[in-house]
Amino acid sequence: MAEAERIIGTPDTPDAAGNGRERPGEDAAAAGASGADEPTAAGRPRGKRRIAVLFAVASFAYALDLISKMIVVAKLEHHPPIEIIGDWLRFEAIRNAGAAFGFGEAFTVIFTMIAAAVIVVIARLARKLYSLPWAIALGLLLGGALGNLTDRIFRAPGVFEGAVVDFIAPKHFAVFNLADSAIVCGGILIVLLSFKGLDPDGTVHKD
């Protein structure tokens, strides 16, 4: 009888029956360990939703920056500054050939290349993105980088040497724009996420 059971594969004990099939939850654990994207109840992978959030945030930041610069160039350039909060905060249109907040005006082409490289890196990183906070942070960086890169490509004095339009002028501080603000906010959020140990792929590590 034992020999017959061995040939036809009939288990001797209830435990043996369990060895031939996966336990509930093992599929999900295996998928998580391999980094595979677990489908949601609606059937769409979570990773695709995070990518959608990234590009939605980037599009909003880019559009807001672009529209604000168009208004500034049309209504404020070559006009006296507008006081928003006394002399503590003014809107004053200037052209900045340097990096964010007016630094490094002699390296316009280099800053243009850096902005382009940042955009490429973010686009590549998006394929492994499963964290919503990281999607928002990278979206802010992407939108801000695209906003200033657009100025450098299309504004005078020439392609890749264009001056960025800045207009937010706090007292005792450099003049900046909404793209600069998005970049700074995205950078601060990334630092906070890194301190918390949250990685772009959604995993949490402890030092």
Side-chain angles (χ1 to χ4, degrees):
M1 178 63 71
E3 183 65 17
E5 288 176 344
R6 185 186 65 80
I7 294 174
I8 65 176
T10 304
D12 291 8
T13 62
D15 290 339
N19 292 336
R21 60 178 182 270
E22 295 178 350
R23 298 173 183 173
E26 286 182 349
D27 286 341
S34 63
D37 201 7
E38 180 184 353
T40 62
R44 290 186 59 193
R46 290 181 299 171
K48 291 184 179 180
R49 293 187 176 182
R50 302 300 183 258
I51 294 174
V53 170
L54 186 156
F55 286 110
V57 172
S59 298
F60 178 77
Y62 176 72
L64 201 61
D65 177 69
L66 184 62
I67 292 171
S68 66
K69 288 175 179 175
M70 292 173 62
I71 295 174
V72 167
V73 171
K75 303 294 185 180
L76 189 57
E77 199 167 37
H78 308 303
H79 290 79
I82 298 176
E83 293 187 350
I84 305 301
I85 307 177
D87 61 347
W88 288 97
L89 178 64
R90 301 185 303 173
F91 285 168
E92 179 181 4
I94 68 168
R95 298 293 182 112
N96 171 25
F101 306 109
F103 298 119
E105 295 187 3
F107 303 97
T108 305
V109 176
I110 295 176
F111 291 132
T112 303
M113 296 174 62
I114 292 174
V118 168
I119 293 171
V120 172
V121 169
I122 293 174
R124 290 176 63 88
L125 185 60
R127 295 180 299 175
K128 300 180 180 179
L129 186 63
Y130 295 89
S131 167
L132 180 60
W134 270 94
I136 296 173
L138 293 177
L140 290 171
L141 282 180
L142 180 59
L146 284 172
N148 285 339
L149 184 61
T150 299
D151 282 1
R152 299 194 186 284
I153 294 176
F154 295 105
R155 296 193 188 277
V159 178
F160 299 117
E161 297 181 353
V164 175
V165 175
D166 289 336
F167 62 93
I168 304 174
K171 187 177 182 180
H172 305 311
F173 197 73
V175 184
F176 58 97
N177 56 42
L178 295 182
D180 298 332
S181 300
I183 292 172
V184 170
C185 290
I188 292 174
L189 183 54
I190 287 176
V191 171
L192 293 176
L193 293 174
S194 298
F195 272 119
K196 293 181 64 176
L198 181 62
D199 293 330
D201 62 0
T203 59
V204 178
H205 69 271
K206 295 182 179 180
D207 296 333

